[in-house]
Amino acid sequence: MGKGDASSHREEHPHRVRRAVAALLGVVLVAGGAVAWQTGQAEEWWHDLRGDAEAPADPAAVAPPPEVDVPDVVRPAALAPAAAGAGPLDRAAVAAALRPLAAKDLGPHVLAAVAPLTGTGFAYQATEGTPVAMPASTTKVVTSAVALFLLGPGKTFATRTVLEKSGTTPRLVLVGGGDPYLTRTPASADDGTSPTYQPQRADIRTLARSTAASLRASGVRVVRLGYDDTLFSGPAMNPRWEAGYFPEEVSPISPLWLDTGRTADGSTRVKDPSGTAALEFRRELARAGIKVAGATAHTAAAPTATAVAQVTSPTVAQIVQRLLEVSDNNAAEVLLRQIGVADGGGGTFAAGQAAVARVLKANGIDLGASVLYDGSGLSRSNRLAPQVLVDVLRWAASDEAPQLRPLLAGLPVAGYTGSLDDRMDHGPAAGRGRVRAKTGTLTGVTSLAGIAVDRKGRLMAFALMADRVRAPKATLARTAMDDAAAGLGACLC
């Protein structure tokens, strides 16, 4: 069985895309690294969007894992003149940096693409044989980009209650809005992981108490209870997933769940996330002083129902930050359903992927032989060309798509944060901290897709993929791919 990884418009001046900022891309300050390229502005924009009381964590302040030997962060008194972030890359230098991809541990099918982060053309392409490969969790780069584009970075999703006053006892309906991070209580928002950034989550206890207060103010003390999860439809488990993915890898996808469909103690996943959420809400409602009569019913809220209370999710930008950092399969699949809803096709896997293909095509990204069946990359039927991943990253860096900046800002920093916090510790030391990338891991598959800044300050996008790795070689294959990515940061390209 394969396993997935572990979670205001600003007009940009055209010339800014030609300059680099290491504050976004890495930890080590390099010559020209702190000049005002637009992804550096994205960090400020991202901070404003998050609304944090404190400044966002500087990756330089994040202690590397103890087993990683990295050079000290250098903070020069005065920065050197800005290095050009754009322009052609030296093809020979890029090829030399990627020599670790020739390692036999990676197996017979290794694909790669490297290109300047801005402009057109590729500095390196290796697509011998089949030009597409299983992308694993690098699929989340595509899902996140389309979600930011179609939904908007500031979009939130509301879990709400409405009241239908027909009959002698009014019916209260809990309506799922597709919040991927709704929790049972404020305390359960701590899921045991230690990401660099943890968004503020909504919880069902707060919703129940707000609902009870509103009902009492209206003179209502007794209700019948229903729950509505009709925002999403179709199968809750993707037919292209392996049967064993539940409960180990992913929950049945629902617009109404608690703690990503897990039990209260977090030990496993529940078969009916919506029903479980409704029962938990019923208990909290009773604790808040509202009596619930009869059984809890699965229903669809009437359009004429009166709004009672609601809680809202983190923004799409915050969700993307979280899911990229910890490679959150569940949040990625909820976002895919939200993409389908926003595109008018409905909350199904198929509608979400149709919307992804349409949005990419509309933005000049040719899928060619690539095909995706989910949003997380768990499906072993997914196929992506590395050039598609590179083009999505370049789209996120373009002047035409400022709303996609959280994608770049959310990529883990090699050797420091998220799914890369213990990676790239064997490659060139000069490359550590200069790479941000999304990992991809399935049985027999290892991949990386992200951005790097080399020692000249050149910005590049890359995608490295191998999908025929022999099981005994999995760790060595991952190290070889890490060394290649670190090489891009260390090179003079």
Side-chain angles (χ1 to χ4, degrees), residues 146-182:
V146 174
L148 288 164
F149 179 84
L150 200 59
L151 302 169
K155 173 71 174 178
T156 60
F157 310 113
T159 306
R160 57 196 177 93
T161 51
V162 298
L163 193 66
E164 300 170 354
K165 295 184 178 180
S166 59
T168 55
T169 303
R171 183 170 71 168
L172 182 72
V173 181
L174 173 65
V175 183
D179 177 354
Y181 290 136
L182 185 69

Side-chain angles (χ1 to χ4, degrees), residues 454-477:
D454 79 346
R455 288 189 291 156
K456 287 183 179 179
R458 300 280 186 181
L459 289 157
M460 65 191 87
F462 67 89
L464 315 176
M465 311 169 78
D467 65 352
R468 297 179 192 171
V469 179
R470 292 174 53 232
K473 301 293 186 179
T475 300
L476 293 172

Side-chain angles (χ1 to χ4, degrees), residues 7-18:
S7 60
S8 124
H9 174 77
R10 174 184 294 172
E11 183 177 355
E12 303 283 352
H13 195 281
H15 75 269
R16 285 183 182 163
V17 78
R18 302 188 181 280

